């Protein structure tokens, strides 16, 4: 399997960022890491190996990006600074990573995917910019980071503003009424996957309900058990990516 490492200084984030690319042709996939994980963890967890046939067969090309979650959602900075850092990360993906992908790979299609908090990143950016993406896969993800639940805190400590609203799918999706945005969302291939015993099950069901209310086609797959571990994600990527 072709594997390439890239690193550049990001103007959006004012720091060096790293990325691993697997494969040389096929539909590009931006693969977001889980909470506190990095660009190399999907390889270490053998999730990339689980997609080996698709990558070597030229069906997909996987771009494993790094995250700055420890500087945004999980930092000790005041909540407005946390969401501001996240928005800088979004700018990095839009203005640096995607142009980099377009130079490497000329396919028009583009997939956003991720597991756990990476699934949040994938769904959030794909729903905000559906004209850029053609498919999104959120696995074991939480779509409202302001909602406290067992073992997971409100990541903004009760603070809420417009920037947070427009970065929480479970908040902004029900309010989407722009006809052009709705048209683009209806063309997006949307897959949500969650375990029946996963803490985030209700979050996924809420998002699915909101999508139905605005008539946006999607798939919600509920697996048995908690299904929030690499061994489950290795199976999910074989089916849904």
């Amino acid at each position: 399997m072709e594997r390439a490492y890239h690193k550049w200084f990001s103007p959006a984030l004012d720091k060096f960022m790293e990325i691993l690319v697997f494969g040389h042709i096929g539909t590009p996939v931006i693969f977001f890491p889980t909470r506190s994980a990095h660009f190399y963890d999907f390889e270490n967890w053998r999730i990339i190996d689980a997609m080996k046939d698709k990558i070597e067969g030229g069906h997909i090309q996987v771009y494993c990006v790094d995250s700055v979650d420890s500087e945004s959602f999980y930092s000790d900075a005041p909540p407005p600074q946390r969401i501001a850092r996240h928005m800088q990360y979004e700018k990095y993906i839009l203005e640096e990573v995607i142009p980099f992908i377009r130079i490497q790979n000329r396919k028009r299609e583009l997939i956003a995917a991720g597991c756990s908090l990476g699934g949040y990143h994938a769904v959030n950016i794909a729903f905000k910019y559906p004209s850029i993406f053609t498919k999104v896969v959120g696995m074991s993800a939480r779509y409202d980071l302001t909602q406290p639940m067992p073992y997971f805190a409100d990541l903004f400590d009760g603070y809420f503003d417009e920037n947070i609203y427009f970065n929480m799918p479970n908040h902004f999706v029900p309010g989407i009424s722009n006809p052009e945005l709705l048209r683009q969302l209806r063309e997006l291939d949307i897959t949500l996957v969650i375990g029946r015993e996963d803490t985030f099950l209700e979050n996924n069901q809420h998002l699915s309900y909101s999508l139905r209310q605005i008539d946006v086609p999607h798939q919600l797959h509920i697996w048995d058990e908690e299904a929030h571990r690499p061994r489950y994600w290795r199976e999910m990527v074989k089916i849904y990516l």
Side-chain angles (χ1 to χ4, degrees):
M1 186 189 319
E2 187 170 316
R3 177 186 186 276
Y5 168 81
H6 300 272
K7 178 179 180 180
W8 69 81
F9 186 83
S10 165
L13 293 168
D14 195 29
K15 63 183 290 186
F16 282 97
M17 294 294 286
E18 297 163 282
I19 187 170
L20 276 173
V21 183
F22 297 90
H24 61 288
I25 57 171
T27 302
V29 180
I30 301 178
F31 209 6
F32 293 92
T34 65
R35 178 182 62 168
S36 305
H38 293 287
F39 65 101
Y40 47 78
D41 282 309
F42 284 135
E43 181 181 38
N44 291 343
W45 297 339
R46 295 183 286 117
I47 294 172
I48 296 299
D49 193 54
M51 296 184 279
K52 184 177 180 180
D53 288 347
K54 292 183 178 182
I55 295 171
E56 291 187 339
H59 301 293
I60 57 174
Q61 184 184 35
V62 181
Y63 292 76
C64 291
V65 294
D66 212 344
S67 81
V68 296
D69 296 330
S70 62
E71 303 168 18
S72 57
F73 302 132
Y74 288 91
S75 81
D76 294 327
Q81 291 182 28
R82 295 177 205 169
I83 193 66
R85 188 60 171 162
H86 165 70
M87 292 165 69
Q88 290 172 339
Y89 178 70
E90 180 181 278
K91 185 176 182 182
Y92 158 71
I93 297 295
L94 293 172
E95 298 184 5
E96 299 178 44
V97 173
I98 292 177
F100 170 75
I101 292 173
R102 294 305 187 200
I103 292 171
Q104 306 268 321
N105 186 318
R106 296 301 178 92
K107 283 189 77 79
R108 187 191 70 80
E109 293 82 4
L110 180 61
I111 300 172
C115 305
S116 194
L117 191 62
Y120 154 81
H121 282 296
V123 168
N124 187 49
I125 197 167
F127 281 15
K128 290 174 69 177
Y129 305 97
S131 65
I132 295 175
F133 296 90
T134 51
K135 178 177 178 176
V136 58
V137 182
M139 293 167 274
S140 311
R142 174 188 184 187
Y143 301 111
D144 179 4
L145 306 183
T146 71
Q147 181 182 0
M149 54 189 70
Y151 311 110
F152 294 91
D154 169 0
L155 298 185
F156 297 97
D157 303 328
Y159 176 82
F160 198 82
D161 64 14
E162 189 177 67
N163 287 333
I164 293 173
Y165 173 86
F166 283 111
N167 282 284
M168 297 300 131
N170 274 357
H171 284 274
F172 73 75
V173 167
I176 295 175
S177 59
N178 180 284
E180 178 59 18
L181 183 57
L182 284 170
R183 185 191 65 77
Q184 293 170 358
L185 279 171
R186 288 166 185 155
E187 291 181 353
L188 186 63
D189 184 346
I190 302 169
T191 298
L192 310 175
V193 193
I194 191 72
R196 190 176 306 281
E197 297 177 13
D198 195 307
T199 303
F200 304 149
L201 172 63
E202 188 178 335
N203 243 240
N204 281 256
Q205 291 172 323
H206 181 93
L207 183 57
S208 177
Y209 171 80
S210 299
L211 290 169
R212 288 198 303 273
Q213 292 302 108
I214 58 173
D215 198 24
V216 171
H218 65 285
Q219 300 176 62
L220 171 63
H221 298 280
I222 300 176
W223 285 36
D224 290 334
E225 305 176 331
E226 187 179 13
H228 199 121
R229 295 285 185 279
R231 64 189 174 96
Y232 291 103
W233 298 329
R234 284 194 286 271
E235 297 306 312
M236 290 177 185
V237 296
K238 292 178 186 175
I239 299 170
Y240 304 116
L241 272 182

